[in-house]
Amino acid sequence: MRPTLLSNPSPAMVGRIKALLFVLCLLPLTASLWQALSGQAVNPVETLTRDSGSWALNLLLAGLAISPLRRLGAPGWLLRLRRMLGLYAFFYASVHLLIYLWLDQLFDWGAIGHDIIKRPFITVGMAAFALLLPLAITSTDGWLRRLKRRWGQLHRLVYPLAVLAVIHYLWLVKRDLTEPLLYAAVLALLLGLRLWWRLRPTLGRQVQ
Amino acid sequence: MLIRHPTDIPPSEITPHSVYLNRRQFMLGSAGLLLPVASMAALPASKSRYSTTDKPNSRQDITSYNNYYEFGTSKDEPALYAGRLKTRPWTVAVGGEAGKPRSFSIEELLKFPQEERIYRLRCVEGWSMVIPWVGFPLASLLKQVDPTSRAKYVAFETALRPGEMPGVARRVLDWPYREGLRMDEAMHPLTILAVGLYGEALPGQNGAPVRLVVPWKYGFKSIKSISRITLLEKQPPTSWNMAAPSEYGFYSNVNPAVDHPRWSQASERRIGEFLKRKTLPFNGYADQVAGLYRGMDLVKNF
């Protein structure tokens, strides 16, 4: 196949795609802040909490979709977007956590500790963030070099943390489970594909 | 931390009645007064000593952030779809343990002496509003059907109109929506049937044409768009209790000391306020209603 712009872009082109992605990933926060601060949102704190949580999950799943897409024939440069998607997932998760600590709990650490112990959805949400934090810290080229093989092992934490994040959503919903179950289905597909390819390596190579 | 707000603003200062009247006159004048539209009719209502002096939320807030699962489970769907509900003709059948069971048309309900009741509303989800309802005591209606001595509870049912309610296609709850009160709760002067909001007919998303308002209980007890009221000897099944018995009790009195199994009820976010405020026992109506529950274990009877 003749290399096209999309299958084999120049490094400068990839740079521009990354710059575009960087701006795109800021749009949900901008939209959410606009809704909250302009008075369109009746319950602005709830809007910010829900939107930041949703986008943390969206970007986490987008990052997890890249390697299966690659295996199904998508161009290789997509891999170069994965770190930014992961870091943005961390960014939105941090905003989500900060709103909880500040606007919900007013940094009352006693109440926060109590909440973490007593409320399962908070417990798993915190656990997910605790697992995401080292991945964000070690996302630099320097840490990649320093940790060598360990880096890959460490970053497999993304699988359990994604499961915890979806459970966090499932457990907080009052009644209508449609949306969290949709996230669960997408995550099951992304993790299921990996498992399938691992258990059936020959098939995976044929597809490639 | 509790941010104190002045609570001495008279409601008349917040919603200048003349603004509504002027707008109405303008619209009538320019439209040429074609048909008497029910939703445009102002509801004359007297002031009530039961009204709170808390600042009411804006009409915009009250009518665009609603829980009404028959029209969808998100907060904005009721405002989008509840207009589909045909509220004329409308009757409420009142029966069961009653000496004189009968139906009331919405026109008959509107003839009860109406009062403005500015009440706090505390949702079980942890937010609250202050709402200027127009309505009348449920007791006035119940007295007309002559409850028998066996009437210990009152059951309420929301109309079920699959053709007009897009949300009931999914069994999020076991339709029709059902609620219930103990007889003394139903007869309490704070308990009203509301037919209006901000001096006008109740909008669809707020439970048109007639809904219950029980201000010391979590919002879901205040059932919307009522089509049936039944007096009973036994405690009736109620929708949220049927859906999740460990999370939503029959009583569901606002109680900061009893958490929802999954979240705290100690504080609430008043819509329009930045920081949370402390939730009050019985939503601040303890002086009036705590006596109804004397000697009861409110943790067990949540």
Side-chain angles (χ1 to χ4, degrees), chain A residues 46 103 171 173 176 178, chain B residues 65 73 170 172 259 262 269:
Chain A
E46 181 200 41
L103 298 179
W171 282 353
V173 165
D176 187 358
T178 315
Chain B
Y65 189 79
T73 55
R170 293 176 47 225
V172 183
D259 286 348
R262 289 185 284 155
R269 179 160 280 118

Side-chain angles (χ1 to χ4, degrees), chain A residues 42-43 45-46 102-106 114-115 118-121 170-178, chain B residues 61 64-65 67 69 73 125 127 170 172 240 243 248 259-264 269 271 274-276:
Chain A
V42 175
N43 193 344
V45 176
E46 181 200 41
W102 176 28
L103 298 179
D104 263 0
Q105 300 290 348
L106 301 172
H114 181 76
D115 231 16
K118 196 171 174 192
R119 319 225 175 268
F121 85 94
L170 261 172
W171 282 353
L172 74 87
V173 165
K174 190 166 141 210
R175 184 70 191 158
D176 187 358
L177 296 176
T178 315
Chain B
D61 283 352
S64 61
Y65 189 79
N67 278 326
Y69 281 16
T73 55
E125 295 166 351
W127 54 269
R170 293 176 47 225
V172 183
W240 277 99
Y248 310 99
D259 286 348
H260 184 281
R262 289 185 284 155
W263 55 81
S264 166
R269 179 160 280 118
I271 297 301
F274 188 60
L275 298 175
K276 286 184 164 182

Side-chain angles (χ1 to χ4, degrees), chain A residues 34 64 66 74 76 79 94 101 109 111-112 114 136 139 159 171 174 179 184 191:
Chain A
W34 168 249
L64 280 170
I66 287 193
L79 282 171
S94 305
L101 297 177
W109 299 106
I112 292 162
H114 181 76
S139 65
Y159 306 132
W171 282 353
K174 190 166 141 210
E179 254 188 58
L191 298 185

Side-chain angles (χ1 to χ4, degrees), chain B residues 58-72:
Chain B
S58 69
R59 191 187 158 87
Q60 171 70 18
D61 283 352
I62 296 168
T63 58
S64 61
Y65 189 79
N66 306 93
N67 278 326
Y68 197 166
Y69 281 16
E70 283 85 337
F71 296 99

